[in-house]
Amino acid sequence: MIKKYRFGNPIPTDSVVIDIAPETAPITIFEADLSERRLRYHLDKKDVVYGLGETIRGINKRGWTYDSWNSDDPNHSEDKHSLYASQNFLIIASCNENAKAKKPIGIYVDDPGRVIFDIGYTDIDVFDILFEDFDADVYVIEGESILDIVKQFRHIIGKSYIPPKWAFGFGQCRWSYMTADEIREVVREYKKAGIPLDSVYLDIDYMDHYKDFTINEEAFPDFENFVKEMKDEGIHLVPIIDAGVKVEDGYDIYEEGMKKDYFCKKENGEVLTAAVWPGRSHFPDFLNDDARRWFGDKYKILLDMGIEGFWNDMNEPAIFYTTDHLAEVFDKIDSYKGKNLDIQSFFEFKGTVASIDNNIEDYKRFYHDYKGQKVRHDKVHNIFGYNMTRAAGEAFERICPDKRILMFSRSSYIGAHRYGGVWCGDNLSWWSHILLNLQQMPGLNMSGFVFSGADVGGFGADATEDLVMRWTQLAIFLPLFRNHSAMGTRRQEYYRFKDIQGFKNLVDLRYALIPYIYDTFMNAVENDAMYAMPLSFIYENDERAWNVYDQLFIGDSIMIAPVYTQNAEGRYVYLPEDMKMIRFRSTEDYDEEVLEKGDHYIQTGLNEVAIFIRKGHKLPLAQPAMRVADIDEKNIKEISYLA
Ligand code: GLC
């Protein structure tokens, strides 16, 4: 049962697609304090809090404060409070050990502005939701089980996005492959290594001076033919689209946007100028229906060249600086000139420059024309990226309604899950980020983002071969499987490492698993179910299972427990029931062993990956293929664990 409570005058987000009348009686599960702009919930000792989508820290969110404020922050360290997305859906639950009466509760806070979730940070037993303005719709969902609550919630937010099938194949990315020849080389090397590959991503340098929907003709001559050449090889090129439109006379998109008045403006009516990759840029007002439609239609430029997938970036939006703030910073710096800076003014001086990008004040400098109202950006900040994804998704429905187009975004809010997936942004080649990747998945799935994944091997910092290997052993089970790394970091395409065969075996295994992955994905979408979930979502009465935060069920049949520690030759795994372990070295070389419910040390060397099958379930395995399209769906072997 879902109840909606309205506080103040909420700004609509279109995240919920089913009309639910607000309750007239006051909310009971929370203590509402209007003057403090706060909802308070008292947690029981054993309550676990799941959700909040793509955030830092673990699967259980208790013991930290999370700030829903979409942020371009490449340092996903434990001390942070915000990442790129705001998915304000949580479930409070506790182990139902004695089948006692306490039922889980779902909470969705629909507010496009900043919301702080203090989940037992200030007081371990108190969960506070703190609003900047108390204008929000709060949904309270009661259900029989965690999965029941997920299903009810997903039902009201509408069906999740489905990508084309090839998007479940392996994708290689790098910031950036600078020329068509460099991409040809990547494809050639993968082929030589015999490693399956379905897509190569184009990062910002494919564009002419980072101008959206343009091509750098010198580096990518005759782009349309190049797209075809790659397609003939079975490779999909997936270009990036950034939120900022370069300010440049003669650039048609800039000129059109100006003429039609589609860019975000300041209080005084002037267009906001912010710097991102192209230098001075304007932001399309994605919240405005006409502007969103206009920008969406631009994807056709690349679709007409044969492109079938995109990734939307920098759409929090990221702001390196605004010209207005930059001028203020220079004035401030001038004021320090010639002075003897004492320690206080030195830190102030340093802070003035250091806080120039993504500065909170800049998000208060511009406005949207949203549903007939002029709304200051910070009030709707968290739905900006969502509406960029929506621009693309709505356009694809208009332009090619019968075709699935790949779309995923960095920034998101619930609602965007109907138009695209997400990737988890600029992680690092750190062992802890393999675990973070695993832990981000359930929260994302709960809030509708089923097509999701993180940069495999880590984006920033230098990767090592063993880290990329272990990370891949997780990523082969996740819907979006893309290796990506930042400029200046060590190259991490699989063929650059020593044990090419080891990487081939893993990617082969991914392709063999695609029938299972695809069916599990489609089931999660069609039935509002989970794709990747912690053990407690299934074993609600097993207290030990509730304490496992580094294993996942992928659908109903299999459990994974990846190794995420350097130099470890295995790890402890908890089996919530008797299971059959399949330890793969390759799709042909594996051993099977039935293990009893309980804790086990599972030996898995660097070249081994263990999958655990539930009793009465089976794992279908296709013959590996070099492209998803070449998988022979009729020739499937099954490994089963018969009851
Ligand atoms: C952002 C993206 C990253 C991309 C880079 C350059 O940092 O998150 O994936 O490679 O921009 O476009």
Side-chain angles (χ1 to χ4, degrees), residues 276-292:
V276 212
W277 300 125
R280 292 181 180 198
S281 306
H282 294 333
F283 294 126
D285 187 357
F286 297 116
L287 274 69
N288 175 273
D289 293 343
D290 297 332
R292 188 167 67 243

Side-chain angles (χ1 to χ4, degrees), residues 245-246 248 251-265 271 282-285 288 290-291 294-295 298:
V245 169
K246 185 172 173 63
E248 185 182 278
Y251 170 32
D252 53 352
I253 297 184
Y254 159 72
E255 289 189 341
E256 250 179 71
M258 286 302 282
K259 204 162 97 213
K260 296 185 169 165
D261 207 10
Y262 285 157
F263 295 124
C264 294
K265 286 184 286 194
V271 175
H282 294 333
F283 294 126
D285 187 357
N288 175 273
D290 297 332
W294 163 74
F295 192 85
K298 299 298 172 204

Side-chain angles (χ1 to χ4, degrees), residues 72 74 84 173-176 202-205 207 210 240 242 277 311-314 316 318 320 410 423-427 455 459 482 484-487:
D72 165 34
Y84 311 90
C173 189
R174 172 80 180 175
W175 172 23
S176 294
L202 301 175
D203 209 321
I204 45 175
D205 295 282
M207 293 183 249
Y210 311 132
I240 195 170
D242 280 350
W277 300 125
W311 47 311
N312 280 350
D313 192 23
M314 307 300 271
E316 294 71 31
F320 295 168
R410 192 169 74 174
W423 99 101
C424 301
D426 300 348
N427 56 13
D455 289 345
F459 175 75
R482 181 182 79 149
H484 181 34
S485 57
M487 184 175 281

